Every structure is written in structure tokens, then in C-alpha cells.
């Protein structure tokens, strides 16, 4: 497993050793100031700044969490820096282990500039360690930037990242220009900030960068994607003699996507500085970020104020065999508004293919679902072969409306405008009539899906049948029960059994019975709007494997919002191994 794949992303020091020789002439060593003078203003295009308060302690935690081959990496932070940058041991001896590592990222035009600053005990001695002696790889050259000394590779030396010294900070960047533009801010301004207490990494995404350079970059990327999609649609129409699309209008879908991107970019441009922190401890990797609106009446302020929030405890009530779960919360107004927007979007998407009567069926189904459902919805999946099941539970405000909404939604696959594309891409669906579950107080619908014949469309018959051979139908059941306060839904080969596992299983058979899962979910607090829970090791190793949860959540905090991401130690280790295997 490559060492740079493990160490670089975690310490932001492996700055992609850029190719290209920096040929330079040999010059006499230059005098380096013992300390940097007063702070300088923020550089143009500044997007983010970061600090690792105790580099050596954080590196020890990284090695411990990564485990396995990571133990072969340098034990101390100074040797890690020397190894990554190809520095001699005498230079490593001058690197401070527990003085904060600082850095900054700027976006300029079509490129990014990243500079990290490592504190050294004596800047002049550090320059001498790299430039003196017959084996020295570098020559020192004073730059026009005040107090900056560039360390340029001597002819014949292997190329590497740009190095420089300003005061008692060794600066590392992809190119010398990055050191000129960001180095003074990294070495003179960031060290004056008090480091965060108790965090292993602190990061601030700057308002000017979010609203300016980053937003502009994302707008450009989306414009390119949109143009490519539009060009693709024109080519397809031309290929078919100008005929309209078979099932839906791509232009309508693209317009909705364009509006969604515009909303996202508007929110991004209305954020104040975003502050984030990462903590490494016995619970694994925990990252959190605080988002605040720049103004009370802007897109971000409105979005945060509209967030519905509450505890994430409904996740714990899902069956214990779930390996992927999602919780969302939304207000009654948001549900009503979204139902109308979805109905309108479908009408536009299927323009000319959705008769007025079928359009009313769609409107009614979505409206009933929105009116009957309460402010939270929890969904869980077990994708394992032979145990495949989908579960959902929700709060209820109108049991009759919700039950009728479910029945109307299950009728929509029979609408020709929907049935044709479903059959084309997933296979023909035949949805039976709802029947009562005797003694269970619920309802059940049997569904048969006849997959596409082998070699047709986007799916294949199970078992790799012959070209055009008929495929065996897949049969499953959808069951649901709606109570006065809670509704349960399940889809599985045995719908009755799956529904019972969700609605009536004892606590010992629920997801919350796992102490690691319960601790992670409960630690999110009572103001959660969204939570995604994954148990990747259990999904791969079976129900008896360790939970090792991964959690991504967002919620409300006063006029702002928060985002959290957590990985248990075993999950973090598995992610590191996966990234290492995929990194050349």
C-alpha cells in the first residue's frame, strides 16, 4: 500500500509533487530572518485555511486508526515530512513536532494554489541543512516577496514540490508562485490565530471564496455539463429525424436540474465563513462543520429557518438486519409545497403523454401522501441476497389520507406514461389489488416484475440466459400498516414477515440494540434534519459482523445549521485501505 496514499490526504503535506525542473544557478546562502513580522491581509481568491494544532500527536492517531501497513510509515511527524519531501535527516531534526501546522488554499482562474507551513526551530539553519554540502539538492535564492527565500532544485536533482522559508516556517506548495501569493499569509498571519482546543484539524472556508471563486468555478462546471446534455439531446433528435422523445422531455428534466443547481449556488453564495473541525479518538474519526447565513433574509437564512428538526431516534427502531438507513424531516408546509412541485414536474416531464385524468391521479396520490405523513420518514435497506428487504416508517398526521395515498401511489405503475418507461428500463410490472392482512391490521399488494429478456435494454435476465430468452418473473410483496401516530411499510419476498420485523419486533431485534449504533445516533442530539447511516462491514461480512457505523447528518442550530460526519475505527480503517488500493 503506497505510503503517500495514506499520509498525504490526512496531513495536506503531500502536495502532488509537481513535474518540471526549476533550473537555477548556484548562489551563496542567504540570510533568513529569525521571525516573521506583522500579519498580512488575506490574499485574493482565498478559499480556505487550515491548522493542525499538534502535528505529531495527530499523526500518531492517524497511524493508530489506519492500522496494518500504516505502522510501517515514519513514526514521528518530522520524519514523515522529511520522507514525503525527500529532505535530509539533519533538516528533519529542525522540524517542530508540536507547533501548529498551518496552510491555505486559494482558487485563481482555472487553477488552485495550496500552501502548507511547517514550523522549524531556526529558519536559517533549516536553509543551511538543505543547501550546504556536496550532496545538497537545493540552492537558496532570495525572492522579491519580502523575507521569502526560495529553495530551488539544483541541476540534476529530482524534481519535487516548491519549497521556501519565511521566518521560521518552511513552506511547501505545488509551484513557486503559490509560495509567493500564499506564503506570507501562511507564515505571518495564520500563526497569530489561537489554535482550536481539542481538535486534530481545524478548517475555515472563507465567505469571499465561497461566494466568489468557488461559486464561479461551480457555475462554469455546470454550464459545461448543461451544454453537453443539450447537445446530446439535439443529436438524438437529429438521429431520429427530429422526432420527439419516446417517453419524456429531456428539456423539462434539464430545466429542473438547472433550477436546483441555481438554488444550491445561491445558498453557497449566502454563507458566512464555514468553520469545520476533525477529531480523532477512540470513537474513530469525527468531523463537524457550522454553517451560518451571511444575512438574515438571504437564501441560506431562509433555508435554515425552514429546516424541520428533531432526534434521529427513528433510525434505531428499524430492523436489526438493515445495513443502510436514511432519516429525513420536513414541515407540513414543505411537504405540501413539494407535492405540488413534484406533480408539476411530472406533468412537464411527460408533456403530451399524461392525459388529464392520469394527471389528476398523480396529483391526488402525491397530495394524499403529503397530507397524511408526519414530519419524519425513516427508510432502511437490507440488500443481501436471499434477505433483500426495504423498510420505511413515518410519523402520521392523517391516517386515512396516508392509507389512501399509499394505495394511489401503488396504482401509478399502471398509468401508461409511467408503465412504458418502467418496462423499457426495469422490466414490466404487474401490481395486484390490495388485500387486508388478517389479524395484522394492515394491507398487502403482490407485485410481479418480469425482467427484460437477456440482451435487451438496461437489464438482463437472471442467470445470463440466451439472447432474447424469456426471463423468470421476480415476485415480491408490499405491505403496510397505518396507525394513529406511526405508519410502517415493507417490501420483500415475504411482505407480511418484513412488516412484522419493522412494526412488532422486540427491542433486541432492532437496529438500536447495537450499542455502537445507538451511541452514534444519540450523540447527534435533538436537532437533526437529515441522517444517513451505513454499516459497510456488516453489509460485506453478514449480520454477525461488527456494526462499525458511518454517519452523515445535518441539522439546525439557531439561525444556522450544522453538518457532521463520523466513522467508527474499523470503518475508518476500511476506508483508508480502500483508498490506498485505488490510489496509484
Amino acid at each position: 500500500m503506497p505510503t503517500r496514499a495514506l499520509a498525504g490526504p490526512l496531513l495536506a503535506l503531500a502536495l502532488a509533487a509537481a513535474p518540471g525542473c526549476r533550473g537555477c544557478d548556484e548562489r551563496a546562502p542567504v540570510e533568513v530572518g529569525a521571525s516573521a513580522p506583522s500579519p498580512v491581509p488575506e490574499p485574493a481568491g482565498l478559499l480556505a485555511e487550515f491548522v493542525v494544532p499538534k502535528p505529531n500527536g495527530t499523526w500518531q492517531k492517524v497511524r493508530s486508526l489506519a492500522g496494518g501497513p500504516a505502522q510501517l510509515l515514519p513514526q514521528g511527524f518530522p520524519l514523515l515530512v522529511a520522507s514525503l519531501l525527500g529532505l535530509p535527516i539533519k533538516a528533519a531534526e529542525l522540524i517542530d513536532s508540536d507547533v501548529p501546522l498551518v496552510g491555505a488554499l486559494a482558487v485563481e482562474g482555472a487553477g488552485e494554489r495550496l500552501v502548507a507551513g511547517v514550523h522549524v526551530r531556526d529558519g536559517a539553519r533549516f536553509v543551511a541543512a538543505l543547501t550546504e554540502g556536496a550532496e545538497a539538492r537545493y540552492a537558496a535564492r532570495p525572492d522579491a516577496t519580502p523575507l521569502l527565500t526560495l529553495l530551488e532544485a539544483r541541476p540534476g536533482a529530482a524534481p519535487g514540490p516548491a519549497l521556501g522559508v519565511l521566518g521560521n516556517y518552511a513552506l511547501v506548495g505545488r509551484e513557486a508562485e503559490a509560495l509567493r501569493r500564499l506564503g506570507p499569509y501562511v507564515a505571518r498571519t495564520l500563526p497569530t490565530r489561537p489554535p482550536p482546543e481539542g481538535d486534530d484539524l481545524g478548517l475555515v472556508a472563507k465567505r469571499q471564496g465561497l461566494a466568489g471563486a468557488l461559486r464561479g468555478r461551480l457555475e462554469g462546471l455546470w454550464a459545461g455539463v448543461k451544454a453537453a446534455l443539450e447537445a446530446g439531446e439535439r443529436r438524438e433528435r437529429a438521429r431520429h429525424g427530429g422526432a420527439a422523445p419516446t417517453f419524456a422531455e429531456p428539456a423539462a428534466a434539464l430545466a429542473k436540474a438547472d433550477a436546483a443547481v441555481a438554488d444550491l449556488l445561491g445558498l453557497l453564495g449566502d454563507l458566512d465563513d464555514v468553520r469545520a473541525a476533525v477529531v480523532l479518538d477512540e470513537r474513530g474519526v469525527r468531523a463537524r462543520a457550522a454553517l451560518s447565513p451571511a444575512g438574515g433574509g438571504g437564501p441560506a437564512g431562509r433555508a435554515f429557518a425552514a429546516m424541520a428538526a428533531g432526534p434521529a431516534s427513528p433510525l434505531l427502531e428499524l430492523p436489526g438486519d438493515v445495513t443502510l438507513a436514511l432519516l429525513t424531516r420536513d414541515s407540513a408546509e414543505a411537504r405540501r409545497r413539494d407535492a405540488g412541485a413534484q406533480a408539476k414536474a411530472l406533468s412537464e416531464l411527460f408533456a403530451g403523454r399524461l392525459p388529464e385524468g392520469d394527471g389528476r391521479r398523480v396529483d391526488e396520490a402525491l397530495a394524499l401522501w403529503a397530507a397524511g405523513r408526519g414530519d419524519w420518514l425513516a427508510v432502511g435497506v437490507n440488500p443481501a441476497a436471499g434477505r433483500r428487504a426495504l423498510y420505511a416508517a413515518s410519523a402520521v398526521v392523517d391516517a386515512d389520507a396516508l392509507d389512501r395515498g399509499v394505495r394511489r401511489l401503488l396504482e401509478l405503475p399502471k398509468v401508461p406514461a409511467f408503465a412504458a418507461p418502467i418496462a423499457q428500463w426495469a422490466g414490466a410490472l404487474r401490481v395486484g389489488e390490495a388485500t387486508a392482512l388478517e389479524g395484522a391490521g394492515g394491507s398487502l399488494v403482490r407485485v410481479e416484475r418480469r425482467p427484460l429478456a437477456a440482451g435487451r435494454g438496461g437489464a438482463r435476465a437472471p442467470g445470463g440466459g440466451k439472447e432474447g430468452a424469456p426471463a423468470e418473473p421476480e415476485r415480491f410483496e408490499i405491505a403496510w400498516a397505518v396507525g394513529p401516530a406511526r405508519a410502517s411499510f415493507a417490501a420483500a419476498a415475504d411482505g407480511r414477515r418484513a412488516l412484522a420485523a419493522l412494526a412488532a419486533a422486540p427491542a433486541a431485534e432492532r437496529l438500536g440494540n447495537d450499542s455502537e449504533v445507538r451511541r452514534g445516533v444519540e450523540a447527534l442530539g435533538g436537532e437533526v434534519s437529515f441522517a444517513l447511516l451505513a454499516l459497510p462491514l456488516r453489509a460485506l461480512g453478514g449480520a454477525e459482523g461488527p456494526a462499525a457505523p458511518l454517519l452523515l447528518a445535518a441539522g439546525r442550530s439557531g439561525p444556522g445549521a450544522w453538518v457532521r460526519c463520523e466513522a467508527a475505527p474499523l470503518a475508518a480503517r476500511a476506508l483508508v485501505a480502500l483508498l490506498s488500493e485505488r490510489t496509484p
Side-chain angles (χ1 to χ4, degrees):
M1 178 167 57
T3 60
R4 289 169 66 183
L6 275 171
L10 293 165
L11 292 179
L13 282 173
L15 300 177
C21 178
R22 302 174 185 84
C24 57
D25 58 342
E26 291 195 35
R27 303 189 180 201
V30 298
E31 185 175 344
V32 181
S35 60
S38 58
V40 299
E42 292 183 358
L46 179 66
L47 177 59
E49 54 192 49
F50 64 87
V51 57
V52 180
K54 297 183 177 181
N56 199 60
T58 296
W59 173 236
Q60 299 304 321
K61 295 178 183 180
V62 169
R63 292 180 76 248
S64 176
L65 278 172
Q71 302 305 308
L72 301 176
L73 296 174
Q75 190 172 36
F77 177 72
L79 287 179
L80 172 69
V81 175
S83 175
L84 292 173
L85 301 179
L87 306 182
I89 294 298
K90 59 183 178 180
E93 292 172 349
L94 294 169
I95 294 175
D96 277 322
S97 295
D98 292 313
V99 175
L101 162 72
V102 291
L105 170 67
V107 176
E108 296 184 73
E112 300 85 25
R113 302 188 191 278
L114 175 65
V115 171
V118 179
H119 194 269
V120 295
R121 294 187 178 90
D122 188 309
R125 290 175 57 196
F126 185 81
V127 170
L130 295 182
T131 58
E132 294 179 354
E135 301 299 322
R137 293 176 49 205
Y138 295 94
R141 180 173 67 83
D143 191 73
T145 304
L147 302 178
L148 174 63
T149 298
L150 294 179
L151 298 168
E152 299 180 326
R154 294 177 184 269
L163 298 178
V165 174
L166 201 162
N168 283 335
Y169 270 91
L171 302 173
V172 187
R174 189 173 294 146
E175 68 284 315
E177 188 60 26
L179 304 188
R180 296 187 184 99
R181 291 183 177 273
L182 296 181
Y185 185 73
V186 169
R188 297 172 59 175
T189 302
L190 294 185
T192 65
R193 310 272 177 80
E197 292 289 337
D199 296 334
D200 289 289
L201 169 67
L203 184 144
V204 179
K206 308 297 289 186
R207 168 166 168 70
Q208 66 153 333
L210 294 173
L214 180 60
R215 180 176 178 176
R217 178 71 59 81
L218 294 176
E219 286 176 339
L221 289 173
W222 170 244
V225 171
K226 181 180 176 182
L229 292 173
E230 290 172 337
E233 181 190 359
R234 289 192 295 270
R235 285 194 301 270
E236 284 299 305
R237 285 183 183 267
R239 194 164 67 90
H240 292 87
T246 305
F247 299 122
E249 289 289 343
L254 188 57
K256 293 300 177 185
D258 192 40
V261 171
D263 289 343
L264 178 62
L265 293 175
L267 189 149
L268 181 67
D270 189 42
L271 290 176
D272 204 347
D273 289 355
V274 176
R275 300 185 179 277
V278 177
V279 174
L280 309 176
D281 57 21
E282 68 283 354
R283 290 171 53 186
V285 181
R286 294 181 289 130
R288 63 184 187 277
L291 289 72
S292 300
R302 294 194 300 270
F304 298 155
M307 293 173 69
S313 53
L315 291 175
L316 302 176
E317 299 300 313
L318 293 171
D321 65 348
V322 163
T323 56
L324 182 66
L326 172 71
L327 171 77
T328 62
R329 288 183 177 272
D330 46 21
S331 65
E333 171 60 24
R335 295 193 298 275
R336 184 197 62 76
R337 183 180 62 248
D338 290 346
Q342 291 162 6
K344 181 180 178 182
L346 288 172
S347 177
E348 294 172 349
L349 186 63
F350 293 98
R353 301 170 183 83
L354 197 61
E356 184 177 348
D358 289 341
R360 286 197 298 269
R361 294 170 67 182
V362 173
D363 293 349
E364 181 184 17
L366 294 174
L368 285 169
W369 170 258
R373 189 170 67 82
D375 67 351
W376 62 264
L377 173 68
V379 179
V381 180
N382 179 357
R387 303 179 62 185
R388 190 172 295 120
L390 172 67
Y391 307 98
S394 78
V396 175
V397 294
D398 186 331
D400 179 66
L402 184 56
D403 183 71
R404 288 189 293 131
V406 173
R407 295 172 187 271
R408 298 292 188 275
L409 288 171
L410 290 173
E411 292 174 356
L412 294 184
K414 302 175 184 178
V415 173
F418 299 148
I422 291 173
Q424 173 72 20
W425 298 106
L429 283 184
R430 187 171 67 184
V431 181
E433 298 298 322
T435 60
L437 282 173
E438 296 181 6
S443 302
L444 181 141
V445 164
R446 291 181 172 85
V447 180
E448 180 179 284
R449 183 181 75 89
R450 186 169 293 278
L452 300 176
R456 289 183 55 207
R460 290 187 174 272
K466 296 181 180 180
E467 184 81 13
E472 289 297 320
E474 175 189 2
R475 297 180 177 89
F476 60 96
E477 298 173 342
I478 299 175
W480 71 95
V482 181
R486 177 188 173 97
S488 301
F489 314 88
D494 187 338
R496 177 192 290 267
R497 183 175 180 180
L499 184 65
L502 174 62
E509 298 177 11
R510 297 184 182 274
L511 201 55
N513 186 55
D514 186 281
S515 59
E516 197 172 19
V517 171
R518 176 174 289 278
R519 181 177 63 182
V521 170
E522 291 180 344
L524 296 176
E527 292 291 300
V528 182
S529 298
F530 164 89
L532 178 66
L533 169 67
L535 309 179
L537 297 186
R538 187 166 289 177
L540 296 173
E544 302 305 317
L550 286 170
L551 266 170
L552 174 64
R556 188 178 59 201
S557 178
W562 55 264
V563 177
R564 291 176 62 171
C565 183
E566 300 190 3
L570 286 176
R573 188 168 298 179
L575 286 176
V576 169
L578 180 64
L579 290 173
S580 300
E581 291 173 0
R582 297 193 175 188
T583 302

